[in-house]
Amino acid sequence: MEAAPVPDGQYTAVVYGLIVGGRCAEAVSLLSRELQRSCRSRGGLSLLGYCHYQLQDFAAAAECYEQLVALHPELDAYRLYLAQALYKAGFYTEALRAVSPLLDLPAYQGRVLRLQAAIHYAQGDLPAAKSLVEEALAAAADGGPGAAENPSERADAEINLGCLLYRQGRHEEASSKFAGAMQVLGYSPELSYNMALCCYAAKQYAPALKHISDIIERGINQHPELSVGMTTEGIDVRSVGNTMLLHRTALVEAFNLKAAIEYQLHNLKAAQEALTDMPPRAEEELDPVTLHNQALMNMDSQPTEGFEKLQFLLLQNPCPPETFGNLLLLYCKHQYYDLAADVLAENAHLTYKLLTPYLYNFLDAIITCQTSPEEAFYKLDDSAGMMTEQLRKLMKQVQEARQNWDDEAVKRAVNEYDETLDKYVAVLMAQAKIYWDMKNYAMVEKIFRKSVEFCNDHEVWKLNVAHVLFMQDNKYKEAISFYEPVVKKHYDNILDVSAIVLANLCVSYILTNQNEDAEELMKKIEQGEEQMSYNSPDKNTYHFCIINLVIGTLYCVKGNYDFGITRVIKSLEPYNKKLSTDTWYYAKRCFLSLLENMSKHMIMLCDNVIEECIQFLKQCELYGRNIPAVIEQPLEEKRLHSGKNTVTYEARLLRALMYKITGWTP
């Protein structure tokens, strides 16, 4: 931001006025211009370094303090400021080198010990950090040369100890340290955030959200200028920038943690809203954690941008430690196995630092599966075997804790058991997918049967068992026994159940002559959609449509095209609400099958059904102009022609084929 010209004799007053008013960006512009004329000005460099620090441009602040240390080596304070700026900028080795001469100076010893501890903590060297924190505490207690000058410095050392306890997994002890420090210092948003983080790590989401709510409420009341929630409401507001004021409110951290909690609870919309509720900043001003969370929580709707953000973060130092693992998992999810292998190979130094042995082995097996499915299966089997033993041990711990009436131990053991079970299910599904892709459904069923001891109550496991039974033509009754409990669990909110689960259950009812049950379920779904349409008129729901599509497809597969195609056509009415990329995918498969069989003279259709088909395709042409026929993969270099990748284009092609095969004229 360009500063206005300053009248003669008022330079100092104007600069300090800008700084006091929080307009540090303007002060930087003014000071930079002045320093071009007098580059050795101590006052100018000092103020410029301070302003850069307030704007969290720590690299630029470090440059200013480096010049001041060179110009005034006798002033030790500048050396400390230099070390702090280097630490904040992520230059840990340089920060340690800059601060070490101050360790022998009594006036600085306490602050130097705490800064060194923070640097080692950031580097992941917890033993060194703990030793320095304890040294600072001991010096304060002894009243020696590094003794704390006031209670706040003692509280600061306690906070550092709390951070160490957090990293060691001792979350309750860490939280009590932060609470103790808050009693000394008064309410602090940063300490409240630390306590929320401890609760989050211990999976105590309710108290974590209470701390977060306190931070947000105080931030809104005390600093309305930070425009909290304006972006979510659709109000276009200016960026508030990365000021120290924003940092002290801990609002960014609180909203990121809230988003993480909602994401863990599978409330994706609430997680996305938490990210847009935070004070507005330009994309280039976003911190790494916010950028990471934006990528992760908008991956379904904006996969290309999500991959770009995660790839960018991986090149930064430091970056959120979860970035590496999440990028690899997302590559595998989107079937970019070569890219995942390349990232693993190029970042070998991060593999052992940021990936757990479980995650590394899992990713290694998934990538290996593309070239050697058999080898991948055995790798996954080894992981499954280890987790089976772990689950049995944890089950025993839960039983022993219950016998000893130790509620805390029960809670810890159950949480650990659930986490391990989720990992085990992921490995199991990866094993099953190998045989699923081969269409060897009997082997998939065998894999699932072996895991019944642990997974009997796991919903993901039950659904996948149901799917594999459904795919074996003679096991529809068994499939029903697995689908029904899942559907009944959500019966009051039937639309919370996946459409394909409901469709498969309906088909299973029909194929086992339980038509009344199928009709009752479909009626319930139709009522749910009507209620949804009443409550949210602009929201499209596809459950009933997809069920009819699946039933129509079933009849087409059985050769009853007259009924099957008619069912498919009816399922997409009204077209402005039901026609989408997914529903068109199912519909066009039935039409292609119909046209293939007609061209081979294997079936004959009634004229009225042919007329119905032509009218349907005309309607798809009309309503499908802006609907992609295929969702393109996010990282594909060669893009489909925008005019051809529409439902309209494909519907016109199908209509032309229909005319050609039937001999009808348009």
Side-chain angles (χ1 to χ4, degrees):
M1 187 179 292
E2 192 66 32
V6 180
D8 290 340
Q10 295 184 30
Y11 185 82
T12 304
V14 169
V15 170
Y16 276 101
L18 290 171
I19 293 172
V20 170
R23 295 156 63 187
C24 289
E26 293 176 61
V28 164
S29 176
L30 199 61
L31 289 163
S32 300
R33 199 167 61 203
E34 185 63 26
L35 282 167
Q36 288 175 356
R37 292 195 289 267
S38 177
C39 62
R40 297 171 67 86
S41 166
R42 175 187 160 192
L45 281 169
S46 181
L47 287 171
L48 185 60
Y50 173 82
C51 289
H52 279 309
Y53 198 92
Q54 292 297 310
L55 293 169
Q56 299 193 57
D57 187 354
F58 301 115
E63 286 182 23
C64 295
Y65 290 126
E66 194 169 14
Q67 291 181 57
L68 285 164
V69 168
L71 291 169
H72 302 281
E74 73 282 359
L75 296 175
D76 298 312
Y78 290 134
R79 185 171 287 278
L80 180 64
Y81 300 154
L82 170 62
Q84 287 174 332
L86 288 168
Y87 157 63
K88 288 284 192 179
F91 301 119
Y92 302 129
T93 306
E94 293 85 346
L96 285 170
R97 192 183 305 125
V99 81
S100 57
L102 300 178
L103 196 56
D104 297 328
L105 302 177
Y108 291 98
Q109 191 179 24
R111 280 178 286 178
V112 169
L113 285 170
R114 289 195 294 277
L115 180 57
Q116 286 181 323
I119 294 167
H120 284 295
Y121 181 86
Q123 289 178 313
D125 188 355
L126 298 187
K130 185 179 180 183
S131 173
L132 288 161
V133 168
E134 288 172 348
E135 190 179 339
L137 280 168
D142 295 342
E149 297 169 10
N150 55 54
S152 67
E153 291 203 13
R154 169 80 190 189
D156 197 38
E158 287 288 319
I159 292 168
N160 288 341
L161 201 56
C163 292
L164 285 164
L165 289 167
Y166 171 81
R167 285 286 284 271
Q168 292 167 358
R170 296 156 67 180
H171 304 122
E172 287 185 22
E173 295 173 65
S175 188
S176 65
K177 291 286 182 187
F178 299 135
M182 196 183 285
Q183 287 178 346
V184 175
L185 301 172
Y187 182 83
S188 162
E190 290 167 308
L191 288 175
S192 189
Y193 168 75
N194 287 356
M195 288 189 278
L197 198 59
C198 290
C199 295
Y200 170 74
K203 296 189 181 299
Q204 297 171 1
Y205 297 140
L209 287 169
K210 175 67 174 68
H211 287 300
I212 290 167
S213 178
D214 290 343
I215 295 167
I216 294 170
E217 193 175 331
R218 285 173 183 263
I220 292 170
N221 292 336
Q222 295 175 7
H223 301 287
E225 71 276 13
L226 292 177
S227 305
V228 170
M230 297 292 188
T231 306
T232 303
E233 292 173 14
I235 302 170
D236 191 17
V237 287
R238 288 176 57 191
S239 164
V240 300
N242 281 318
T243 61
M244 284 304 288
L245 170 64
L246 179 62
H247 178 66
R248 290 192 192 103
T249 62
L251 282 169
V252 169
E253 292 83 355
F255 278 116
N256 271 316
L257 187 56
K258 184 181 180 183
I261 292 170
E262 297 292 0
Y263 189 78
Q264 290 290 341
L265 296 172
H266 306 292
N267 301 327
L268 186 58
K269 188 176 179 184
Q272 291 168 338
E273 281 186 6
L275 293 178
T276 53
D277 277 345
M278 68 172 63
R281 291 171 294 165
E283 188 166 66
E284 62 271 14
E285 295 172 329
L286 295 177
D287 59 285
V289 174
T290 302
L291 208 59
H292 169 271
N293 288 346
Q294 280 187 351
L296 201 61
M297 291 167 202
N298 296 300
M299 202 70 192
D300 289 342
S301 57
Q302 300 173 328
T304 304
E305 293 86 340
F307 278 120
E308 285 173 357
K309 286 173 182 176
L310 293 173
Q311 288 160 352
F312 168 78
L313 283 172
L314 198 60
L315 300 174
Q316 306 307 302
N317 182 31
C319 76
E322 296 82 6
T323 304
F324 187 48
N326 285 338
L327 179 59
L328 290 167
L329 286 169
L330 287 166
Y331 274 150
C332 291
K333 179 183 175 181
H334 287 78
Q335 299 184 6
Y336 292 122
Y337 303 109
D338 291 344
L339 287 176
D342 290 344
V343 169
L344 268 176
E346 291 165 8
N347 297 277
H349 61 291
L350 296 177
T351 301
Y352 300 104
K353 184 180 177 184
L354 299 179
L355 298 183
T356 61
Y358 160 79
L359 185 53
Y360 174 77
N361 291 334
F362 180 76
L363 288 165
D364 181 45
I366 296 296
I367 294 166
T368 302
C369 186
Q370 309 317 304
T371 52
S372 177
E374 189 176 343
E375 184 184 347
F377 183 87
Y378 287 119
K379 284 185 176 183
L380 290 165
D381 209 39
D382 288 342
S383 294
M386 286 189 286
M387 276 182 283
T388 300
E389 291 177 22
Q390 199 175 346
L391 285 167
R392 288 199 177 100
K393 287 177 184 175
L394 289 167
M395 198 181 284
K396 189 177 179 183
Q397 286 178 23
V398 171
Q399 291 169 351
E400 288 173 355
R402 281 176 178 157
Q403 287 170 1
N404 296 330
W405 300 94
D406 188 342
D407 291 341
E408 283 301 316
V410 169
K411 195 185 295 181
R412 281 196 303 273
V414 167
N415 281 341
E416 195 175 344
Y417 180 88
D418 288 342
E419 282 182 20
T420 307
L421 181 59
D422 285 341
K423 292 176 181 177
Y424 175 62
V425 169
V427 170
L428 200 66
M429 295 306 147
Q431 281 186 296
K433 187 177 183 300
I434 293 171
Y435 286 101
W436 179 278
D437 291 342
M438 297 176 185
K439 299 189 177 180
N440 187 346
Y441 302 121
M443 189 63 189
V444 176
E445 184 184 348
K446 186 178 177 183
I447 291 167
F448 287 152
R449 295 290 184 196
K450 283 167 61 179
S451 58
V452 69
E453 176 187 356
F454 304 109
C455 304
N456 198 32
D457 294 323
H458 199 284
E459 193 162 299
V460 171
W461 180 85
K462 285 194 282 191
L463 281 175
N464 280 284
V465 171
H467 291 332
V468 79
L469 291 168
F470 179 82
M471 293 303 292
Q472 300 174 71
D473 291 342
N474 57 342
K475 296 190 176 181
Y476 294 115
K477 283 190 175 180
E478 291 172 72
I480 290 170
S481 69
F482 282 94
Y483 281 132
E484 270 187 343
V486 175
V487 173
K488 285 178 179 176
K489 182 180 175 182
H490 302 280
Y491 202 69
D492 292 336
N493 298 296
I494 195 76
L495 298 185
D496 289 346
V497 182
S498 167
I500 202 65
V501 170
L502 296 172
N504 286 357
L505 180 56
C506 276
V507 168
S508 298
Y509 281 145
I510 292 167
L511 293 174
T512 53
N513 298 317
Q514 299 178 56
N515 294 334
E516 288 181 7
D517 291 329
E519 286 173 14
E520 185 185 338
L521 180 59
M522 291 179 75
K523 189 176 179 182
K524 177 70 176 175
I525 295 161
E526 196 171 11
Q527 289 171 350
E529 287 200 355
E530 286 172 1
Q531 187 64 44
M532 174 74 76
S533 180
Y534 178 78
N535 295 334
S536 307
D538 297 331
K539 187 173 182 181
N540 292 338
T541 52
Y542 297 100
H543 283 64
F544 196 67
C545 167
I546 288 173
I547 290 167
N548 277 308
L549 277 170
V550 171
I551 293 171
T553 303
L554 172 70
Y555 278 97
C556 289
V557 169
K558 300 291 185 184
N560 188 349
Y561 283 97
D562 283 348
F563 181 82
I565 283 291
T566 304
R567 191 80 181 228
V568 167
I569 291 169
K570 297 293 183 191
S571 72
L572 288 177
E573 296 173 354
Y575 300 101
N576 63 324
K577 288 186 174 292
K578 301 302 180 184
L579 187 60
S580 70
T581 303
D582 289 336
T583 55
W584 174 246
Y585 170 76
Y586 287 106
K588 71 182 177 186
R589 289 177 68 194
C590 293
F591 272 85
L592 286 167
S593 172
L594 168 67
L595 291 167
E596 182 184 4
N597 281 294
M598 287 175 70
S599 67
K600 294 176 180 177
H601 303 287
M602 294 174 69
I603 59 166
M604 293 286 289
L605 278 188
C606 302
D607 286 356
N608 64 321
V609 176
I610 294 173
E611 180 62 37
E612 205 174 339
C613 289
I614 289 170
Q615 291 305 317
F616 167 75
L617 292 170
K618 284 182 177 179
Q619 291 298 312
C620 290
E621 285 181 50
L622 181 64
Y623 289 98
R625 295 182 187 280
N626 299 314
I627 301 172
V630 178
I631 300 296
E632 295 184 82
Q633 287 294 317
L635 299 180
E636 292 296 327
E637 292 182 9
K638 191 175 180 181
R639 293 287 170 183
L640 295 172
H641 190 287
S642 57
K644 293 183 178 180
N645 186 27
T646 64
V647 169
T648 294
Y649 179 80
E650 291 193 349
R652 192 172 291 136
L653 280 179
L654 287 174
R655 189 157 62 93
L657 283 171
M658 181 72 75
Y659 285 134
K660 187 174 182 180
I661 290 168
T662 58
W664 288 31
T665 54

